[in-house]
Amino acid sequence: MLLRQVNLPDGREGQDVLVQAGRIAAIGPQLPVPEGIEIIDGQGCLLSPPFVDVHFHLDATLSYGLPRVNASGTLLEGIALWGELKPQLTQDALVERALSYCDWAVAKGLLAIRSHVDVCDPRLLAVEALLHVKERVKPYLDLQLVAFPQDGVLRSAGALENLQRALDMGVDVVGGIPHFERTYEQGTQSVKLLCELAAERGLPVDMHCDESDDPQSRHVETLAFETQRLGLQGRVTGSHLTSMHSMDNYYASKLIALMAEAQLHAVANPLINITLQGRHDSYPKRRGMTRVPELMAAGINVGFGHDCVLDPWYSMGSADMLEVASMGLHVAQMTSQAGMQACFDAVTVNSAWLLGLPDYGLAVGKSADFVLLQARNPAEALRLRAQRLLVVRRGQVLSRCAPATAHLNLPGRPEQIDWRLAR
Ligand code: FE2
């Protein structure tokens, strides 16, 4: 396959990309055309590496309305509702919903997902189901699983044993939820024991951490400390970190430096944070998203996650990481050229780094995995939530989509709409 005349996210325009044996064989302007090769005219569209979702819940997705809808819209009612649904889950239904979501993901050019999986149900039905799904989707989607004690590893009886069983079964990452433990001290203890467990097993850590509007929720400080103490630098992720939104600026300035020193990765979930946080506020209502530009400025790797789609916590969503990045851009007011590029990176390269995907990126020798977007550059892709014209993995086309257009009937005006900025 030879893609002609594509733009790349780093700003190179009018490039050709040659794919041979599932890998990128050459990138450059006006490459020679080998015999008998499929030629795709990119027409100046953006060729991006695939989207990556660093934070998702594949065990809960597409369960909206089961057994009822979240009336208050809060995180805590969502957790309670998930608790009501858990006894009714079956493995077949879990697998079916997760596979359906993966279909949506592929169509949107989303080819790598880190999903948390609840380990508090001693049957570990969801773990078995998602391990099965991970194998099923392997040819087309990288799925990483996090052992997530939704009800608290100390608060929920047997959760630690279940979490260890899940890791024994092949779950990839150690999760946690310190702000949901019974006391602050128990939260601190949970961070320590889970980091020690990860160090013993040589696994990464990814905790739901300080998903709260309470500025006193400071478990990320402990997470940074334990990361340093155990030599886990670069392997630990703090997800959500919404309490940082409400923290005192002086304390936040100390904290961010500690996080950078520990080489923590940070994950914001813009759609969910803006929806679930600030629910106890009247006006003004807090946005609740963590301090994304400040974390990035300190050199911390920040990825954006979708977190939820049609589940007890969120009634919207469509596996569209451009929607996620667009919400992040708006909530964090990252409207500069550099800010928009950084938001695009947060759902592509930053997240690939966080997941440790070795074969990721548009470079010669890398796996031929990419998405052709109906936009000329990352900012335009974000503005238009661009159509995914072509989704390719290891040189094989996984999904095609017709260009979005509208046919106008306006006297004296063009028949076909052009969404681009006239230059
Ligand atoms: Fe989450």
Side-chain angles (χ1 to χ4, degrees):
M1 175 192 297
L2 179 70
L3 288 111
R4 305 222 78 152
Q5 290 291 313
V6 295
N7 295 346
L8 303 180
D10 63 10
R12 279 180 287 170
E13 296 189 344
Q15 300 291 303
D16 294 352
V17 176
L18 177 66
V19 174
Q20 282 177 331
R23 300 211 158 254
I24 297 174
I27 300 177
Q30 294 177 331
L31 295 177
V33 185
E35 286 286 311
I37 200 160
E38 183 189 0
I39 296 175
I40 295 166
D41 184 1
Q43 299 183 349
C45 287
L46 176 66
L47 191 75
S48 169
F51 296 109
V52 179
D53 184 357
V54 278
H55 188 113
F56 197 66
H57 294 264
L58 207 47
D59 50 358
T61 197
L62 308 193
S63 69
Y64 180 72
L66 298 176
R68 62 181 176 84
V69 169
N70 183 338
S72 67
T74 59
L75 171 67
L76 294 180
E77 186 176 341
I79 294 174
L81 184 49
W82 175 238
E84 291 170 35
L85 177 58
K86 265 193 265 190
Q88 301 174 25
L89 292 174
T90 67
Q91 203 165 119
D92 287 349
L94 281 160
V95 168
E96 192 50 46
R97 288 197 286 262
L99 285 174
S100 295
Y101 185 78
C102 290
D103 295 344
W104 295 11
V106 168
K108 293 287 187 187
L110 168 56
L111 299 186
I113 298 174
R114 174 179 278 185
S115 174
H116 296 254
V117 50
D118 188 358
V119 296
C120 287
D121 179 347
R123 296 173 300 166
L124 293 182
L125 270 188
V127 173
E128 279 181 15
L130 292 195
L131 283 167
H132 173 74
V133 169
K134 181 180 168 173
E135 280 305 306
R136 281 277 293 271
V137 302
K138 207 176 201 167
Y140 54 89
L141 190 148
D142 291 312
L143 181 57
Q144 257 185 30
L145 298 177
V146 184
F148 173 48
Q150 171 75 75
D151 301 327
V153 74
L154 298 175
R155 183 170 170 175
S156 171
L160 179 59
E161 292 72 26
N162 296 338
L163 187 145
Q164 288 176 303
R165 279 168 53 215
L167 297 175
D168 291 341
M169 289 162 71
V171 170
D172 311 276
V173 182
V174 177
I177 186 164
H179 56 277
F180 196 70
E181 300 294 351
R182 284 200 174 86
T183 64
Y184 196 79
E185 287 68 28
Q186 291 245 298
T188 304
Q189 205 183 321
S190 79
V191 173
K192 183 170 183 284
L193 83 87
L194 290 165
C195 285
E196 286 174 354
L197 186 63
E200 275 167 32
R201 290 179 176 247
L203 295 175
V205 175
D206 189 340
M207 287 194 196
H208 284 65
C209 196
D210 305 322
E211 188 181 3
S212 159
D213 289 317
D214 175 6
Q216 300 301 322
S217 189
R218 297 177 170 188
H219 293 295
V220 64
E221 181 187 78
T222 308
L223 189 63
F225 174 78
E226 292 297 334
T227 300
Q228 288 270 19
R229 183 176 73 83
L230 296 163
L232 295 174
Q233 290 90 337
R235 283 167 44 191
V236 177
T237 299
S239 280
H240 287 293
L241 308 173
T242 53
S243 72
M244 289 183 72
H245 186 91
S246 299
M247 281 175 185
D248 168 71
N249 283 341
Y250 184 83
Y251 174 69
S253 70
K254 178 195 172 196
L255 176 63
I256 289 173
L258 291 173
M259 292 167 68
E261 189 185 54
Q263 296 169 38
L264 285 192
H265 301 276
V267 169
N269 295 299
L271 293 166
I272 307 309
N273 301 151
I274 195 75
T275 306
L276 292 182
Q277 301 305 311
R279 289 273 178 167
H280 296 265
D281 294 355
S282 56
Y283 288 94
K285 279 185 196 287
R286 283 168 286 182
R287 296 163 188 226
M289 195 169 80
T290 196
R291 302 184 183 210
V292 171
E294 292 78 7
L295 290 165
M296 286 179 169
I300 293 167
N301 183 38
V302 180
F304 288 162
H306 205 318
D307 198 7
C308 302
V309 169
L310 294 169
D311 70 8
W313 295 274
Y314 191 52
S315 48
M316 295 267 115
S318 63
D320 184 352
M321 295 309 292
L322 285 172
E323 186 188 7
V324 171
S326 174
M327 180 58 79
L329 183 159
H330 286 85
V331 174
Q333 300 177 330
M334 294 173 71
T335 48
S336 68
Q337 286 283 327
M340 293 189 288
Q341 179 73 42
C343 288
F344 191 82
D345 291 347
V347 292
T348 52
V349 287
N350 295 6
S351 292
W353 178 19
L354 195 153
L355 261 56
L357 302 176
D359 218 9
Y360 184 90
L362 294 180
V364 173
K366 297 282 187 187
S367 183
D369 303 351
F370 43 71
V371 189
L372 187 66
L373 295 161
Q374 191 189 358
R376 290 171 302 184
N377 54 54
E380 196 165 81
L382 285 165
R383 181 171 66 81
L384 300 174
R385 319 279 195 287
Q387 289 285 90
R388 282 66 166 177
L389 301 172
L390 204 63
V391 179
V392 173
R393 162 108 158 173
R394 295 175 191 154
Q396 300 296 315
V397 176
L398 299 181
S399 173
R400 285 179 196 270
C401 188
T405 190
H407 296 279
L408 300 177
N409 187 16
L410 303 173
R413 298 300 302 154
E415 282 182 13
Q416 201 159 342
I417 202 157
D418 188 350
W419 303 102
R420 296 173 301 181
L421 181 68
R423 284 191 183 148

